[in-house]
Amino acid sequence: MQLYEEAETISVFGLECYRFGFYVMLGLLAAAGVIGFLSWAKRCEKGTAPLTILLSLVLGGLFSRVGFCLMNRELGGLMPFSAWFQITGGGWSMSALVAGVFLAGWISVRITRQKPGMILDIQACALPLFMALERAGEGCIPEFDYSRELSSHFLDGTFLTFQDEYGTYLATWKLAGILMLILFPILIVDVIHSRKDGDTAILFLLLFGAFSVILESLRYDRFLSVSFVGLEQVLAAVFLAVGVIAAALRAGTKAGKLRLLSILSVLLVVGLAVGLEFALDRTTFSKILIYVAYVLILAVPVWLGLNLRKSARE
């Protein structure tokens, strides 16, 4: 098969293939392995693993592509519908993929008539491993997933940065991959020790949402963005909010004040995040201090969500 010359390739057992596609394939296989193993370990109904894997592949890929096409504004407006099917040209949304995968889990639950929380927990554990390997593949895409020019020099020469004739930049795809590799064992430990189905999925939504808000803020390639706000970042905030709301609903009325405080914290954080994004894009204020503030304000709804999760468990 003739490969695009501009795309980086890799030789695997003598077979030439796209490097990015190879890492995506590895990620899919790793995620499928996690789903299969945890489905067996949790004694799911027979056929749960292959059904969940198949639905996740189909709906995750479909949502990822459609999400990208709806949010892409490179041409100044919505992508022509005929271009939606040109998948060899690239264009995928990670946040939309997560939504598709969780929908696949819900459909799998309806078909197999099992507890929804158990399947969603399993998928939550598999997603970070796929994401870590997919991010590794992004390293071959030119001018993709990188930060603003760094104003400080303490990261110069490290594996997290790269340089060109204009300055030094953070390779945000590497940082994203590392955070997903850290998130994976956290979720595995949690799903092993969790006493309530669905807790691990909530933990994923809280941490992935918060991580992704920061990661999408750091990147400066204008991927799926409108003005200074990245649409993937907006979806990450939605995941964080869904995690807090899910924890609040499970906690019940006995955690009334904590529930109210958690919901209000999400609304407050969204407002503050918009202000911080404006400061990053339109002011000369120290970006390091801005990101310190960013991390601190995002930690509030995550901490409150975790406390709600604990309250529901008790």
Side-chain angles (χ1 to χ4, degrees):
M1 183 180 69
Q2 186 68 32
L3 301 179
Y4 290 107
E5 293 182 358
E6 62 271 22
E8 188 172 331
T9 60
I10 188 173
S11 180
V12 181
F13 301 116
L15 178 66
E16 199 79 9
C17 60
Y18 295 120
R19 179 183 169 187
F20 177 73
F22 174 71
Y23 278 99
V24 169
M25 181 192 69
L26 288 181
L28 293 173
L29 291 174
V34 172
I35 291 174
F37 175 76
L38 290 179
S39 297
W40 168 81
K42 284 187 165 287
R43 302 295 187 266
C44 295
E45 293 291 336
K46 188 176 180 180
T48 297
L51 177 63
T52 304
I53 291 169
L54 176 61
L55 290 173
S56 297
L57 284 172
V58 173
L59 292 180
L62 179 64
F63 271 55
S64 182
R65 179 60 181 176
V66 172
F68 171 83
C69 294
L70 290 174
M71 293 187 287
N72 184 28
R73 292 294 184 272
E74 283 186 307
L75 300 177
L78 192 66
M79 281 180 61
F81 187 65
S82 59
W84 289 28
F85 303 96
Q86 298 173 8
I87 59 175
T88 56
W92 307 90
S93 164
M94 184 67 80
S95 297
L97 178 142
V98 172
V101 167
F102 277 129
L103 176 60
W106 181 82
I107 294 174
S108 177
V109 164
R110 301 292 291 181
I111 293 173
T112 59
R113 298 184 180 182
Q114 298 178 85
K115 295 179 181 179
M118 182 168 58
I119 304 301
L120 296 180
D121 285 348
I122 291 172
Q123 290 181 304
C125 291
L127 277 167
L129 201 53
F130 165 76
M131 293 176 184
L133 288 163
E134 186 277 338
R135 294 299 186 187
E138 287 183 7
C140 69
I141 305 175
E143 300 181 358
F144 188 73
D145 213 343
Y146 63 92
S147 74
R148 299 169 174 83
E149 182 182 347
L150 298 180
S151 55
S152 60
H153 302 285
F154 74 97
L155 287 176
D156 286 6
T158 67
F159 77 102
L160 286 174
T161 61
F162 67 93
Q163 292 180 315
D164 62 14
E165 62 269 26
Y166 302 106
T168 303
Y169 308 86
L170 183 66
T172 46
W173 61 269
K174 289 183 179 179
L175 186 58
I178 291 170
L179 286 175
M180 291 304 103
L181 285 177
I182 294 172
L183 182 57
F184 174 66
I186 292 174
L187 294 174
I188 290 294
V189 171
D190 188 77
V191 80
I192 291 172
H193 295 285
S194 177
R195 292 174 291 174
K196 192 169 185 178
D197 292 330
D199 272 4
T200 302
I202 290 174
L203 180 61
F204 169 82
L205 290 170
L206 293 172
L207 296 181
F208 172 73
F211 286 169
S212 296
V213 168
I214 295 293
L215 290 168
E216 291 298 327
S217 174
L218 282 169
R219 66 188 297 177
Y220 204 59
D221 56 359
R222 299 304 186 187
F223 179 68
L224 299 181
S225 63
V226 176
S227 185
F228 60 88
V229 177
L231 299 180
E232 289 275 87
Q233 186 181 23
V234 173
L235 290 178
V238 171
F239 286 132
L240 175 59
V242 170
V244 171
I245 292 170
L249 292 175
R250 287 162 69 92
T253 55
K254 63 180 180 181
K257 292 183 179 180
L258 185 58
R259 291 171 69 185
L260 178 61
L261 186 59
S262 300
I263 302 300
L264 291 176
S265 75
V266 173
L267 299 176
L268 180 61
V269 163
V270 168
L272 291 173
V274 172
L276 291 175
E277 287 296 330
F278 182 85
L280 284 167
D281 200 64
R282 307 294 171 86
T283 72
T284 57
F285 195 76
S286 170
K287 291 179 173 52
I288 293 178
L289 292 179
I290 290 174
Y291 277 113
V292 169
Y294 224 143
V295 170
L296 291 176
I297 66 168
L298 283 170
V300 174
V302 172
W303 181 77
L304 290 171
L306 292 175
N307 277 276
L308 281 170
R309 195 180 77 136
K310 181 180 178 182
S311 177
R313 185 180 296 171
E314 294 173 348

